[in-house]
Amino acid sequence: MAAYDTGGFHFPGHDDPVPELTDEVERLRHERRYGSVLDAILRHLRAHGQSSEAYRLALPLLYTGMRRTADPDIAEPVARRQYGNPYFAPLATECSRCTQFWYSGHDIASQARLVVTNPIGLQCQVCRHTLCRNCFDPQKLRCPERGCRGELGTPVVPTGRPRGKPANEFTEKLEHVMILWRSTPTSQEEAEELLDLACTWQDRGGITVRSQVNQSDTRDGEELERRMGLVLVSLYEREGMISENGLYRTRVLPIESPGRGRRLVFVTAAPETGAASRLSGPVEYLLFDDPDGAGEDAPAPKRRWFRRRR
């Protein structure tokens, strides 16, 4: 395995047909509903994991989606949240010097001769060290990696996004996810995006996603915020909403949500045995601190679990 493509996806030589997904994608593509096409592919990836057919269907839209000028005939263009979704991270190519990433068209044209006149980036054909057009010098095509004798050129294959938003390496069954927000409540769309970031490649069928107002003082600091959130997890465990010892199976992930602020996401894995490990069905979203359903325009009342010591 080359040094810089350990997280990238490489299309196998054999087909991996998914007739139901292909039919749905072709119908939506005919209607020029490209956003719905990628949503359908994301649903498949969340449920079934990596799929060469799903990636093959997604790649043309990802390759052109953020570079095409506005077209009034497109009913649903590719959204930025879809372009950067971590489930598509294995298809992406990331610059080894900066954090820019893109989707290379070389895999699309693998059966044809491709002449690249204005490349987005170049890649070492030995170690896969990759530089975007802002980072490489066209006069210096020797690979900058120490000890490598390769040269930068094409084709450019996926490297994954090791410094962007990589797919989560954990693959356990999930039982409960809690999102703490401070000033802006979590919408269902944002909750799904946060799940994609925090729970990539994890089984989320039948889990409960709960959103709560962050009741800590802004002066408390992240460590106390985490402790307070874990207290909530233990309370849900005590009330039977999370299986026994769920607190010890909980990971805490801070995530910056663009335009909405910082979130703390508490991900609880299901036990290996017992009822929780056999959860199935749709995800249940409880997105507000008030279980009776306060709206987004009516923030839930804050209830502090601790008094700050003066």
Side-chain angles (χ1 to χ4, degrees):
M1 180 67 70
Y4 285 90
D5 68 348
T6 54
F9 182 84
H10 299 280
F11 286 88
H14 60 279
D15 292 332
D16 177 25
V18 186
E20 299 83 2
L21 177 63
T22 303
D23 291 345
E24 182 179 8
V25 165
E26 290 304 320
R27 175 180 60 81
L28 293 170
R29 197 198 303 270
H30 179 73
E31 298 171 0
R32 310 198 75 177
R33 297 169 57 192
Y34 299 144
S36 291
V37 168
L38 291 183
D39 281 340
I41 295 171
L42 284 171
R43 286 194 298 270
H44 181 85
L45 293 172
R46 291 178 187 123
H48 303 288
Q50 295 193 29
S51 162
S52 60
E53 178 69 3
Y55 283 154
R56 183 186 67 79
L57 295 168
L59 188 53
L61 292 178
L62 294 171
Y63 173 61
T64 60
M66 297 303 291
R67 296 165 43 181
R68 179 184 296 152
T69 56
D71 185 344
D73 293 331
I74 296 178
E76 295 177 10
V78 173
R80 185 170 295 277
R81 64 175 177 80
Q82 296 171 317
Y83 185 82
N85 191 285
Y87 278 93
F88 293 136
L91 278 182
T93 301
E94 184 177 273
C95 179
S96 301
R97 185 170 295 171
C98 69
T99 58
Q100 180 176 342
F101 73 95
W102 67 94
Y103 297 95
S104 171
H106 285 91
D107 280 314
I108 302 174
S110 59
Q111 304 302 318
R113 288 193 174 184
L114 186 66
V115 178
V116 180
T117 57
N118 186 23
I120 300 175
L122 295 177
Q123 190 173 76
C124 175
Q125 301 304 293
V126 176
C127 75
R128 298 305 180 191
H129 188 109
T130 306
L131 295 177
C132 68
R133 62 162 57 122
N134 295 323
C135 292
F136 78 77
D137 183 346
Q139 304 300 319
K140 299 178 181 180
L141 297 181
R142 179 69 63 92
C143 178
E145 185 69 16
R146 179 175 297 180
C148 180
R149 297 185 177 181
E151 290 190 353
L152 300 176
T154 59
V156 175
V157 299
T159 61
R161 296 181 60 192
R163 293 172 300 165
K165 296 181 177 64
N168 199 308
E169 296 179 357
F170 294 91
T171 56
E172 65 262 17
K173 180 87 176 172
L174 297 181
E175 178 179 5
H176 186 270
V177 173
M178 183 179 69
I179 303 166
L180 289 188
W181 51 271
R182 186 171 293 282
S183 58
T184 306
T186 309
S187 66
Q188 180 154 337
E189 180 183 40
E190 184 197 0
E192 291 172 350
E193 293 178 23
L194 291 173
L195 280 186
D196 284 349
L197 291 174
C199 311
T200 314
W201 307 125
Q202 298 183 4
D203 190 345
R204 64 181 70 176
I207 67 172
T208 297
V209 179
R210 195 180 305 273
S211 175
Q212 306 246 166
V213 63
N214 191 336
Q215 300 173 29
S216 65
D217 192 285
T218 54
R219 298 168 294 177
D220 288 339
E222 182 177 316
E223 183 59 32
L224 189 55
E225 285 182 322
R226 288 172 178 249
R227 288 170 55 191
M228 290 180 172
L230 291 172
V231 167
L232 265 183
V233 172
S234 67
L235 288 175
Y236 288 132
E237 178 185 331
R238 187 181 307 171
E239 294 174 5
M241 300 177 186
I242 299 177
S243 298
E244 186 177 357
N245 295 322
L247 178 63
Y248 300 103
R249 301 189 305 274
T250 299
R251 290 180 286 114
V252 187
L253 298 152
I255 295 177
E256 286 294 335
S257 185
R260 304 181 185 102
R262 184 170 165 279
R263 280 32 175 144
L264 279 182
V265 183
F266 296 76
V267 181
T268 303
E272 295 181 355
T273 59
S277 65
R278 297 190 295 272
L279 291 170
S280 62
V283 177
E284 181 181 11
Y285 290 94
L286 303 174
L287 297 182
F288 304 101
D289 193 46
D290 181 356
D292 296 328
E296 287 192 28
D297 296 330
K302 288 194 174 186
R303 300 188 304 271
R304 289 189 60 83
W305 315 311
F306 304 111
R307 286 190 179 276
R308 183 179 176 86
R309 293 184 178 180
R310 300 293 182 183

